[in-house]
Amino acid sequence: MDEHFYSRLNQYRSLWVLVFFDLPTDTKKDRKIASGFRKKLLDDGFSMFQFSIYMRFCASRENADVHIKRIKKNLPPKGKVGIMTITDKQFGMMEMFYGNKVAEKETPSQQLELF
Amino acid sequence: MIKRTLFFGNPAYLSTKNEQLVVSFPDDQPEKTVPIEDIGMVVLEHPQLTITNGLMGKLVNNKVAIVSCNGQHLPDGILLPMHGHTEQTERIRHQLDASQPLKKNLWQQTVTAKIKNQAALLADREIPVQRLNHLSKSVQSGDTGNNEAQAAAYYWQHIFDLPDFNREQKGIPPNNLLNYGYAILRAIIARALVSSGLMPQVGIWHRNKYNAYCLADDIMEPYRPFVDMVVRHIVETEDTYEELNIHLKKELLSIPALDVRIDGQKSPLMVAASRTTNSLFECFAGISRKIIYPEYG
């Protein structure tokens, strides 16, 4: 289909939100808080990219803001959390490897998905 | 925000976990997940799809339109939430209390917008449209002159470069593409109506007692030319379109994401549909007198 039919949905407008975190797990209470934080991320549509790196596709800046706001509301009292936003274009340029083999990239989400 | 459309054309087991839709495949393919709040429409097309009630409940609560397809792979059912809006009961009362003159006025606006969009679509290919322009300007309240049908007769003669073409449900291709596209469009409009707290059953013009989507059929009229545009694009660029293959369906399923111009702004069609249905509610409630429809071009 012609790209010009869909200029509102281009790769520079859609975003990926990445969340990096290091949370203390020394006490039972800390572990509970850490897993609660992780569970909230999963409920909010984030998926694990690597241990303690989660990411989510967002169709627009406004949508990304909604999810960032939710993370900020659920921040754990201790530990370090980073939130980063990159465009779908930048995300698509990431290189990934398993060992020294090039790994299959996660295809950027699309508006339409066929299963 | 533009919501996602999911199309299931292969055997799969659909369930839910962590507010996600989980797709499990019968072979060893890894599971896939999609956040439920991002979904706008789900098209179920394979007989070997299993869907859990937990998932259906979550989908419906998130105002996802679930479209199920029959053995011919054509959409034939829409599942929509019973309560799409917090003020639903009040809003439906406004809808049911709408006076006959108001309904006629709304239908006039609808037909005018439809003919304008049809004219713009033909003008795109340098087909003379004075007749349509004239018809769009002379629509009367309630369309008593039946300008809609007069415009349609001219429009369908000229839109495709196909000499034998007639717009009929069971007619020759690309009628099959149009049927599919309109079914998708109808689901989008019905979803938007429900989420604006309106009842898709009670129309402003359509009132066939066998039709459960009268209002959706009314409101989708000015949107039809956008489907026609996609179908015309397919007719012009594809060698064969007799069979609705997956590639063609993909193009038709992108209809919710199409760019349309509404109220001076560009926006995806699915978002525009919600603006239209909200403005329709405002007309029913007496807040405004104008339905906002998208304009082609």
Side-chain angles (χ1 to χ4, degrees), chain B residues 65-122:
Chain B
I66 305 173
V67 178
S68 75
C69 297
N70 60 16
Q72 278 77 50
H73 309 288
L74 283 169
D76 67 354
I78 317 174
L79 175 61
L80 292 165
M82 296 271 287
H83 52 95
H85 194 278
T86 44
E87 293 173 0
Q88 184 154 22
T89 311
E90 191 196 12
R91 287 183 166 224
I92 287 176
R93 201 169 301 133
H94 280 302
Q95 181 185 354
L96 295 177
D97 288 347
S99 66
Q100 206 54 38
L102 173 65
K103 286 189 197 167
K104 283 188 168 174
N105 174 278
L106 294 174
W107 182 240
Q108 180 188 21
Q109 290 186 42
T110 305
V111 172
T112 307
K114 179 185 182 183
I115 301 177
K116 266 191 192 160
N117 282 348
Q118 288 179 325
L121 196 64
L122 293 189

Side-chain angles (χ1 to χ4, degrees), chain B residues 1-296:
Chain B
M1 178 193 123
I2 177 76
K3 301 271 183 178
R4 278 155 76 174
T5 303
L6 308 182
F7 174 86
F8 294 94
N10 291 302
Y13 177 75
L14 311 178
S15 57
T16 176
K17 190 183 170 192
N18 293 331
E19 308 304 315
Q20 318 288 305
L21 180 155
V22 182
V23 191
S24 325
F25 300 96
D27 47 13
D28 290 335
Q29 273 185 69
E31 285 182 351
K32 279 200 163 180
T33 62
V34 184
I36 289 175
E37 67 174 319
D38 289 3
I39 307 174
M41 179 147 71
V42 173
V43 182
L44 305 172
E45 216 217 55
H46 201 276
Q48 278 160 279
L49 281 168
T50 311
I51 180 164
T52 64
N53 194 27
L55 174 62
M56 279 209 285
K58 283 187 188 174
L59 288 173
V60 160
N61 269 319
N62 280 280
K63 303 190 190 75
V64 178
I66 305 173
V67 178
S68 75
C69 297
N70 60 16
Q72 278 77 50
H73 309 288
L74 283 169
D76 67 354
I78 317 174
L79 175 61
L80 292 165
M82 296 271 287
H83 52 95
H85 194 278
T86 44
E87 293 173 0
Q88 184 154 22
T89 311
E90 191 196 12
R91 287 183 166 224
I92 287 176
R93 201 169 301 133
H94 280 302
Q95 181 185 354
L96 295 177
D97 288 347
S99 66
Q100 206 54 38
L102 173 65
K103 286 189 197 167
K104 283 188 168 174
N105 174 278
L106 294 174
W107 182 240
Q108 180 188 21
Q109 290 186 42
T110 305
V111 172
T112 307
K114 179 185 182 183
I115 301 177
K116 266 191 192 160
N117 282 348
Q118 288 179 325
L121 196 64
L122 293 189
D124 233 18
R125 294 289 189 277
E126 279 149 26
I127 295 162
V129 290
Q130 293 92 326
R131 188 171 154 68
L132 291 185
N133 286 337
H134 170 72
L135 283 169
S136 79
K137 285 188 191 112
S138 58
V139 181
Q140 286 160 307
S141 177
D143 191 22
T144 39
N146 211 358
N147 289 19
E148 188 194 11
Q150 292 181 48
Y154 182 82
Y155 175 73
W156 290 116
Q157 264 170 28
H158 293 89
I159 175 155
F160 304 119
D161 235 350
L162 306 166
D164 307 329
F165 182 80
N166 259 318
R167 171 64 193 140
E168 284 168 50
Q169 192 110 65
K170 295 200 163 68
I172 55 161
N175 275 300
N176 55 346
L177 304 180
L178 291 167
N179 295 343
Y180 196 89
Y182 292 152
I184 298 298
L185 178 63
R186 198 188 205 195
I188 299 167
I189 302 290
R191 175 186 178 276
L193 285 169
V194 169
S195 58
S196 297
L198 299 171
M199 246 187 346
Q201 291 87 348
V202 181
I204 51 179
W205 181 254
H206 286 93
R207 50 187 176 140
N208 183 331
K209 69 172 173 181
Y210 303 109
N211 183 353
Y213 294 101
C214 288
L215 187 58
D217 289 346
D218 289 332
I219 299 306
M220 71 188 264
E221 293 293 355
Y223 283 87
R224 285 179 193 263
F226 294 101
V227 175
D228 304 340
M229 172 187 81
V230 174
V231 172
R232 180 172 70 183
H233 183 84
I234 294 174
V235 170
E236 282 171 359
T237 52
E238 300 288 330
D239 301 330
T240 163
Y241 46 83
E242 271 69 32
E243 277 292 313
L244 253 175
N245 58 31
I246 196 80
H247 165 69
L248 296 178
K249 278 182 197 160
K250 197 171 171 179
E251 299 217 5
L252 292 167
L253 284 165
S254 333
I255 287 169
L258 278 178
D259 274 337
V260 302
R261 201 157 52 85
I262 185 161
D263 210 10
Q265 276 180 337
K266 270 204 164 183
S267 123
L269 188 143
M270 196 180 226
V271 178
S274 293
R275 297 212 50 191
T276 300
T277 56
N278 272 322
S279 69
L280 173 66
F281 162 71
E282 291 185 348
C283 293
F284 283 146
I287 301 165
S288 144
R289 300 184 62 83
K290 193 172 184 304
I291 318 186
I292 304 171
Y293 277 124
E295 287 162 42
Y296 181 82

Side-chain angles (χ1 to χ4, degrees), chain A residues 28-94:
Chain A
K28 208 172 171 186
K29 194 180 162 210
D30 283 343
R31 282 194 291 277
K32 193 170 174 332
I33 291 171
S35 68
F37 181 70
R38 184 180 158 276
K39 175 80 169 41
K40 288 245 173 63
L41 286 176
L42 291 175
D43 282 350
D44 198 24
F46 282 82
S47 53
M48 191 169 86
F49 179 59
Q50 293 189 348
F51 293 119
S52 57
I53 301 181
Y54 284 69
M55 58 179 192
R56 188 196 207 283
F57 176 80
C58 296
S60 63
R61 161 70 58 191
E62 292 78 10
N63 185 232
D65 289 343
V66 167
H67 295 286
I68 292 171
K69 218 169 163 181
R70 281 189 205 160
I71 300 165
K72 287 184 182 163
K73 231 170 78 189
N74 292 314
L75 285 177
K78 282 183 279 178
K80 194 170 179 181
V81 178
I83 304 172
M84 186 166 91
T85 318
I86 59 171
T87 63
D88 192 34
K89 185 74 184 168
Q90 291 166 324
F91 183 82
M93 290 189 304
M94 174 164 48

